[in-house]
Amino acid sequence: MSAAAGRNALLDELRALMAAHSPPLHALVVPSDDAHQSEYVAERDKRLQFISGFTGIARSAGLALITMKEALLWTDGRYFLQAEKQLSDHWELMCMGEDPPVEVWIADNLSDEAVIGINPWCISVDTAQRYEHAFSKKHQTLFQLSSDLVDEVWKDRPLANTQPVVHPVEFAGCSVTGKLKELRKKLLHEKARGIIIAALDEVAWLYNIRGNDVHYSPVVHSYSIVTLHSAFFYVDNRKVSVEVQSYMSENGIDIRDYNMVQSDVSLLASGQLKGSAVNGSSHEGNGMNDNSKILIDNSCCLALYSKLDEDQVLILQSPVALSKAVKNPVELDGLRKAHIRDGVAVVQYLAWLDNQMQENYGASGYFSGAKGSQKKEHVEVKLTEVSVSDKLEGFRAAKEYFKGPSFPMISAVGPNAAILHYSPEASSCAELDTDKIYLFDTGAQYLDGTTDITRTVHFGKPSEHEKSCYTAVLKGHIALDTAVFPNGTTGHALDILARTPLWKSGLDYRHGTSHGVGSYLTVHEGPHQISFRPSARNVPLQASMTVTDEPGYYEDGSFGIRLENVLIVQDANTKFNFGDKGYLAFEHITWAPYQTKLIDATLLAPAEIEWVNTYHSDCRRILQPYLNEQEKEWLRKATEPITVSC
């Protein structure tokens, strides 16, 4: 049986379960989320992929709606092309931003009083409330299932694994005691008696633990409840080592089994949750107003929210998220050092790849713009999107503190580079081509920092159109990098800077311009972002936050271009200080050259040329000490100053 036929059979099984359910379900929502609304999820939580065959992996990659007659999949602009390729004829692609949202489709297309099933662990409070509001006009019901129906038809669902480890203060920069003290101050300020933390990276950051439960993010499947007097860590007891047990005990944190969190939320709601004595008290009601609230983030799952009375809940952005986003000096120092090691690996990779393309394919190479390449009839060593990406991981693996990739490498040739989150597979990936653009978007996890970098290169003769598009992307990249802006500015206001050079030619891109980056945590970190999306208005940028700078341009079926550095927000030394606001600027910490062969210098302003030349000079100075002689020579050529001929 083919994979498509197998999935069609699964749809039949699901529909049988939906019909037999009490009450019968008219539709089933299958999100890409896990019980923590994580960006990347464990293999056993990839229900959307299992049922549909669609492999988009980011948290917002999509969701499925299965009715008795239809199977629809919603995804965003990053994944349109990928979904079109992967979905069978039994599925219909719904494009976010173009087609009605799922809740609108349900309200418009399903009958009055229809029952829509959902796993309450895999839907956030915010999303559930939006659905219920849309369903109310036709008295449709969002029904919380006691078990996930997809799990019931997933016979070989992968098992959970791994165990948490302590993240030393030498990397974390702040003790658990200090973090809990600051969190409790914020709870008092909000008149809250406790907080429920469901986001995996927030639990990991707060308790200074890391793990390997999820690919690419060093987190552990866990929850936390923190009150003014106690702290709880909910994790599979089989994962807890003697070291972790002792560490938690020393810091006044009670370890509870992962499955106890729901019942403990009920105890918290009734004021009966008790833990180890902290601050001289073990009684949760001591010194607290009975009317004080329990704080949750609106991304918390519906299953936990449902255990609280509505008047008990204070829904706010998690204070842990913002504390985590504003890096301490130790974290910033670690991030800078991690990016230097990462830059060395990227330069080693580019120098190796340049040599391989010339030797195996007769390419003119990274530096020469001569038309082609003497293509060899018989290639001795075939280079594919996967084989070359494995080589980059090898260069990184040799670096100090390397722990693995921070997301699936995007290694894309020609048309594949136009697929925003393309992830090559060994069985179907493309071979490198001397006449096509090659884009790689990669990152790594190091004990002292997380990295994310994108470069776009050509080993033959790029067209004038490709060069002008690359240069427009570079101009937007520089414009954001050099921005100076007042305190209180959000990423929504800055997004236009990276797009304006593209807009002047009628070009654009469908993704946001920037996300935060964790400190040996998730590579895509909030709550801030630089984007056209309304949510980018919610959180102003602050000094010591990290952001990426990654404008791009993509032509379907032809090529894609993206350039990405990681930046640190810092105080700006401005001549004046209008309004006594204080001003901010950026420090770039990513180090790898831009391909000057792809730059049309006539399109750059003098200040932009100076920026490129200064950046390249810094790359050479910072990275050379870690390279061998051949790599140094390659970097020297890659960073030669660009000029404009008269």
Side-chain angles (χ1 to χ4, degrees), residues 386-442:
V386 169
S387 69
V388 297
S389 67
D390 289 344
K391 187 68 176 181
L392 175 54
E393 184 168 339
F395 284 120
R396 282 181 164 135
K399 303 296 180 278
E400 186 179 26
Y401 299 145
F402 176 79
K403 301 299 288 185
S406 57
F407 58 96
M409 179 171 179
I410 298 171
S411 175
V413 175
N416 291 340
I419 303 173
L420 298 186
H421 278 223
Y422 172 75
S423 184
E425 297 181 2
S427 60
S428 59
C429 66
E431 185 176 0
L432 266 65
D433 191 319
T434 59
D435 295 326
K436 293 178 181 176
I437 271 178
Y438 172 61
L439 180 154
F440 62 100
D441 183 351
T442 70

Side-chain angles (χ1 to χ4, degrees), residues 538-591:
N538 295 343
V539 180
L541 298 184
Q542 296 183 34
S544 298
M545 284 180 166
T546 55
V547 295
T548 57
D549 175 4
E550 50 179 312
Y553 173 66
Y554 314 89
E555 282 196 5
D556 292 351
S558 185
F559 65 86
I561 296 165
R562 183 162 63 253
L563 299 172
E564 178 183 18
N565 285 350
V566 172
L567 314 176
I568 294 173
V569 184
Q570 61 182 0
D571 292 319
N573 184 21
T574 54
K575 184 177 181 180
F576 302 105
N577 185 18
F578 182 82
D580 290 325
K581 293 181 177 180
Y583 283 73
L584 300 170
F586 293 119
E587 168 199 354
H588 45 247
I589 60 173
T590 301
W591 303 108

Side-chain angles (χ1 to χ4, degrees), residues 292-307:
S292 59
K293 304 285 187 177
I294 298 166
L295 195 155
I296 65 167
D297 189 285
N298 62 13
S299 65
C300 182
C301 61
L302 181 62
L304 297 182
Y305 172 76
S306 298
K307 294 298 179 181

